Amino acid sequence: MNSKWKMLLLISFAISLMLIKHRFRIKKHLQKTSCCWVHETEEPQLSDWFNPKKRLDVITTTDWFAPVIWEGTYNTQVLEKYYKRLNITIGLVVWATGKFTGEDLKQFIQSANKHFMIGYNVVFYILMDDFSRLPHIELGPLRTFKLLPIEQKGKVWEDLNIIDMKNLNVYIIKHIKHEVDFLFSMTINQIFKNDFGVETLGKSVAQLHVWWYFENAKKVPYERRPKSAAFIPFGKGDFYYDSAIFGGTPQEVLTFTAEYQKAVTNDTKNGLRSTYECHLNKYFFINKPTKLLSPEYNWDPTFRTPPQIKRVKIARQSKRI
């Protein structure tokens, strides 16, 4: 009888050991799988995808350690692996107002459809003051567009820029912030020439001004009147940014639209009027962008192309709208 009990105890003990070992293996496998998933969904470190040493001929890092994106400095594969897993959506606001024509909008959208954030969900937000000028638009997979009317009613002193930003502010709050993960605002007088991809995404993205990047920094046209909200003193300022392109998270773009409205209101009370671009530069002087796009992302083809420009991403058209 004792021998039978001993045998049963030994069998029971052996089975218990096997179950414990099996359970440990499962736990270890789950932990490994979890670690791999967390690792793959973590945002890559800057050094994982950006190498400033690849372009020693240009400024690739700011004083506040933000990357300046030039051709050759970034690894698209690392970024693609990360953003694809997140299934992100990018919004692109284009201003089809003022002197634009239907052909201008058609060229912009056609080129953006071909080169802007290929392989990702994209929403084109077309802000228009006259829907009768809307051309026929055909888009590829993962792309859609929304027409947003510009409410023209405003105060007597408000120009088109302040009216545009007021409208964008309303639309971001109303629905855009719930629809996209990143948002760009661009003027219509531009044509995409090459891929404008996820290397441009960031919390706050500013475009270096092609005209002023290669000029003497002392000549940049900052607002110099001390009473203006856009005032930047002589000897101060980081770069001169182009208002043709800016972006970031919807919240960051929303913050700028609100700050811009406050700044213009302040100037109006003081009998001043500064340019939209000067206000944008003051905003980025105070609130440093987390990523800067090189002049390759907004090149002017009327200029002689210097050796620093390796690949033009967007070419501006000759007319300013």
Side-chain angles (χ1 to χ4, degrees):
M1 188 71 177
N2 288 337
S3 60
K4 289 183 178 180
W5 276 107
K6 286 181 180 180
M7 182 62 70
L8 287 172
L9 285 172
L10 284 172
I11 293 172
S12 177
F13 181 70
I15 291 173
S16 297
L17 283 176
M18 290 174 64
L19 289 172
I20 291 171
K21 191 174 182 180
H22 182 65
R23 185 178 179 183
F24 176 76
R25 285 177 177 174
I26 291 174
K27 185 178 180 180
K28 190 174 181 181
H29 175 72
L30 290 173
Q31 287 176 338
K32 186 177 180 181
T33 302
S34 176
C35 287
C36 289
W37 173 256
V38 170
H39 177 71
E40 289 182 355
T41 55
E42 283 182 349
E43 184 172 3
Q45 297 294 312
L46 183 61
S47 58
D48 293 335
W49 63 271
F50 181 72
N51 187 351
K53 294 181 181 179
K54 291 287 187 178
R55 291 295 302 272
L56 299 178
D57 57 327
V58 290
I59 298 171
T60 52
T61 307
T62 68
D63 293 341
W64 59 96
F65 304 109
V68 183
I69 309 301
W70 293 84
E71 180 68 17
T73 60
Y74 55 89
N75 184 326
T76 304
Q77 291 182 339
V78 174
L79 294 173
E80 292 274 357
K81 186 176 181 181
Y82 169 66
Y83 284 116
K84 285 289 187 182
R85 285 188 174 275
L86 296 183
N87 192 31
I88 60 171
T89 299
I90 304 102
L92 173 54
V93 174
V94 58
W95 303 93
T97 60
K99 298 178 181 179
F100 91 99
T101 65
E103 188 61 27
D104 293 323
L105 179 57
K106 184 177 181 180
Q107 289 179 5
F108 179 91
I109 294 295
Q110 282 182 339
S111 67
N113 182 52
K114 185 178 179 180
H115 296 294
F116 182 76
M117 301 295 169
I118 301 303
Y120 292 89
N121 303 305
V122 172
V123 181
F124 297 111
Y125 296 103
I126 305 173
L127 278 78
M128 299 187 72
D129 54 3
D130 182 359
F131 285 177
S132 68
R133 291 188 282 180
L134 179 69
H136 176 66
I137 295 175
E138 291 185 5
L139 299 175
L142 305 178
R143 278 136 213 274
T144 186
F145 73 92
K146 292 188 177 183
L147 290 178
L148 304 178
I150 296 271
E151 175 57 60
Q152 294 286 2
K153 292 180 181 179
K155 298 176 182 178
V156 176
W157 51 266
E158 292 181 341
D159 63 15
L160 288 177
N161 288 315
I162 188 68
I163 292 173
D164 287 348
M165 287 300 112
K166 285 176 69 175
N167 277 271
L168 181 56
N169 183 282
V170 169
Y171 286 126
I172 292 175
I173 294 172
K174 193 173 181 180
H175 60 86
I176 291 177
K177 68 178 182 179
H178 305 297
E179 298 170 346
V180 301
D181 301 287
F182 296 95
L183 183 67
F184 284 92
S185 171
M186 298 189 185
T187 56
I188 198 173
N189 58 322
Q190 305 177 86
I191 300 293
F192 288 81
K193 294 294 186 180
N194 284 292
D195 288 352
F196 189 106
V198 291
E199 77 279 358
T200 65
L201 298 179
K203 182 180 178 182
S204 175
V205 182
Q207 171 67 56
L208 291 177
H209 200 296
V210 61
W211 296 351
W212 295 108
Y213 177 80
F214 296 100
E215 283 288 338
N216 188 323
K218 295 179 180 179
K219 297 180 181 180
V220 294
Y222 292 136
E223 174 59 73
R224 300 302 191 183
R225 293 172 294 179
K227 289 186 178 181
S228 172
F231 171 63
I232 296 179
F234 283 99
K236 300 292 183 179
D238 305 307
F239 300 92
Y240 193 77
Y241 303 109
D242 197 325
S243 59
I245 300 173
F246 78 94
T249 62
Q251 184 58 51
E252 286 294 316
V253 177
L254 179 65
T255 299
F256 167 71
T257 64
E259 291 299 315
Y260 172 64
Q261 290 178 71
K262 282 193 267 185
V264 172
T265 300
N266 179 75
D267 275 8
T268 302
K269 290 178 180 178
N270 291 323
L272 299 172
R273 176 173 289 188
S274 190
T275 66
Y276 167 67
E277 197 160 79
C278 281
H279 283 293
L280 180 72
N281 273 271
K282 177 60 177 286
Y283 178 80
F284 281 135
F285 177 60
I286 301 298
N287 306 278
K288 307 296 188 191
T290 60
K291 185 173 287 184
L292 284 68
L293 304 183
S294 73
E296 293 172 319
Y297 286 85
N298 188 234
W299 185 248
D300 188 336
T302 63
F303 289 1
R304 180 183 61 82
T305 305
Q308 294 93 328
I309 304 299
K310 305 296 184 183
R311 194 180 192 196
V312 174
K313 304 287 188 169
I314 292 179
R316 69 167 73 218
Q317 293 178 297
S318 58
K319 59 181 178 180
R320 277 276 188 180
I321 299 173

